[in-house]
Amino acid sequence: MHHLVYTSTASDPLTEAELQRQLSRWRVNNARLGVTGVLLYSEGSILQVLEGAAEHLHALFATIAADVRHRSVTKLADGPVPGRVFAGWSMRFRSVSTTDFTRFVPQREAAIPSHASELVPLLEAFMAQEPLA
């Protein structure tokens, strides 16, 4: 099992309706590939955790990094993990406030966890707090 965590900025901020349309497509693709994960969105800022086979995650990340809808794509973590944290979620989603988003991706690069071992448990607890899309 492998995970890949990245952050990016949407070239053009998306509305909730646009995100929901895209999520439907992404969920089908992720389910087909055996990829699970979670996506946070805040006023154009994106944080995504992907879990699955390394080759699938690297191919997805290459597509995302080349997608003109993303800019400032930054990989935060990429490596083997003992198991899935977000099992059963082909792409869980939550739109969050800027304050909540900065809990996971601080504005100062030096404050970004060097490994998702710090980030993923915090995100897992946050996602469990209330019903999700």
Side-chain angles (χ1 to χ4, degrees):
M1 185 56 48
H2 200 87
H3 77 177
L4 192 147
V5 182
Y6 77 90
T7 185
S8 70
T9 303
S11 299
D12 293 312
L14 301 167
T15 66
E16 188 79 23
E18 290 169 326
L19 280 167
Q20 290 299 331
R21 277 193 301 278
Q22 293 293 333
L23 281 164
S24 295
R25 218 178 77 235
W26 298 332
R27 287 173 173 149
V28 168
N29 189 53
N30 286 356
R32 182 180 57 79
L33 296 173
V35 171
T36 57
V38 63
L39 176 81
L40 292 186
Y41 183 83
S42 177
E43 300 178 19
S45 296
I46 297 163
L47 171 68
Q48 188 167 25
V49 177
L50 297 167
E51 304 168 322
E55 61 272 13
H56 294 307
L57 301 187
H58 292 144
L60 284 171
F61 184 73
T63 299
I64 291 163
D67 191 325
V68 297
R69 296 174 294 182
H70 289 268
R71 58 184 170 81
S72 303
V73 179
T74 304
K75 191 184 299 182
L76 302 178
D78 181 1
V81 290
R84 293 180 194 269
V85 173
F86 304 107
W89 295 352
S90 62
M91 184 46 54
R92 204 60 159 175
F93 168 76
R94 184 179 288 176
S95 184
V96 297
S97 69
T98 302
T99 301
D100 280 337
F101 193 86
T102 58
R103 288 174 54 196
F104 306 108
V105 185
Q107 298 306 302
R108 296 175 299 114
E109 281 191 31
I112 294 173
S114 60
H115 188 272
S117 63
E118 299 169 33
L119 175 66
V120 172
L122 181 64
L123 185 56
E124 179 184 25
F126 177 76
M127 297 302 284
Q129 289 177 4
E130 62 184 69
L132 305 170

